[in-house]
């Protein structure tokens, strides 16, 4: 699946399940439960939007095992080198990082970071938002440098808005895990499937070879626009005061 599609499914996953999951203890600061007027749950609207962006960025993480994937190309030689190392460590594309174990591990890692190192947490939040914006395709077509500037400006701006809105990141781990999981499920819908229960090698994929072929017309011309509409619909449905 393309980075763009993964980013959209990550946002959809968060918008779909977060309000329910975030009502669990420890995942949001409990006082918000009382304050929230818009939604009947523990996330503020700003947290809800921040989570969608972060989950969307996290939905790119499993493809760090592929040096030519969108994520590996995002921060130049740094992410490219990192992806080379991860590809080697995880046993090549669509292995360890495309599993339930990775999603849970990344989630717990992010949760630990969020609770222990505020600066590390902020760096992670900024990187994931930047990644999401890039994957969704925010920028100026054909202009790499200008697009990067637009992306950086928007990312910093959004981070500042979230901060001034007192967004708490107790749910960071949850968003990262859901994003990674959305990626794994997405790739299971492609013709190659994923080793969901890695280290068991068996690949999970759709029956009768109906899996999507990555980057073909169906994904670009049909799936991507449909997913975009679903993202907007869910945002409206969750945030518009009824
Ligand atoms: Zn993948």
């Amino acid at each position: 699946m393309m980075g763009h599609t993964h980013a959209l499914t990550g946002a959809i996953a968060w918008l779909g399940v977060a309000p329910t999951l975030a009502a669990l203890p420890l995942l949001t600061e409990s006082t918000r439960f009382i304050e929230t007027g818009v939604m009947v749950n523990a996330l503020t609207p700003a947290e809800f939007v921040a989570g969608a962006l972060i989950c969307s960025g996290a939905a790119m993480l499993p493809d760090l095992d592929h040096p030519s994937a969108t994520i590996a190309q995002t921060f130049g030689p740094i992410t490219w080198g990192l992806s080379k190392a991860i590809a080697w460590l995880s046993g090549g594309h669509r292995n360890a990082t495309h599993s339930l174990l990775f999603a849970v591990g990344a989630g717990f890692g992010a949760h630990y970071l969020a609770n222990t190192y505020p600066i590390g947490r902020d760096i992670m939040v900024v990187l994931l938002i930047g990644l999401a914006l890039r994957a969704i395709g925010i920028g100026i077509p054909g202009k790499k440098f200008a697009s990067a500037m637009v992306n950086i400006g928007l990312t910093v701006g959004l981070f500042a808005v979230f901060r001034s809105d007192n967004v708490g990141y107790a749910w960071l781990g949850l968003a990262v895990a859901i994003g990674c999981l959305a990626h794994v499920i997405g790739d299971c819908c492609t013709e190659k499937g994923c080793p969901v229960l890695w280290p068991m090698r068996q690949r999970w994929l759709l029956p009768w070879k109906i899996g999507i072929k990555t980057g073909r017309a169906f994904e670009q011309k049909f799936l991507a626009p449909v997913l975009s509409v679903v993202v907007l619909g869910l945002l409206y449905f969750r945030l518009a005061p009824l």
Side-chain angles (χ1 to χ4, degrees), residues 49-50 53-54 56-58 123-136 151 154-156 158-159 162 169:
V49 174
L53 281 165
I54 287 168
S56 169
I123 292 173
M124 184 164 190
V125 166
V126 165
L127 290 180
L128 288 176
I129 293 175
L131 202 54
L133 293 181
R134 179 182 149 130
I136 290 166
N151 186 323
L154 265 178
T155 302
V156 172
L158 282 166
F159 181 73
F162 295 149
Y169 290 101

Side-chain angles (χ1 to χ4, degrees), residues 6 63 93-94 98 183 187:
H6 282 307
D63 274 349
H93 186 43
R94 291 204 187 183
H98 286 66
H183 183 116
D187 274 352

Side-chain angles (χ1 to χ4, degrees), residues 64-138:
L64 261 179
D65 66 358
H66 193 325
S68 57
T70 313
I71 182 168
Q73 313 247 317
T74 298
F75 301 106
I78 304 166
T79 36
W80 184 82
L82 184 67
S83 78
K84 275 281 188 196
I86 290 178
W88 181 74
L89 276 175
S90 66
H93 186 43
R94 291 204 187 183
N95 266 303
T97 59
H98 286 66
S99 68
L100 206 57
L101 198 64
F102 177 81
V104 172
F108 273 108
H111 189 69
Y112 174 76
L113 195 69
N115 284 328
T116 328
Y117 300 105
I119 293 173
R121 175 202 66 198
D122 288 350
I123 292 173
M124 184 164 190
V125 166
V126 165
L127 290 180
L128 288 176
I129 293 175
L131 202 54
L133 293 181
R134 179 182 149 130
I136 290 166
I138 304 253

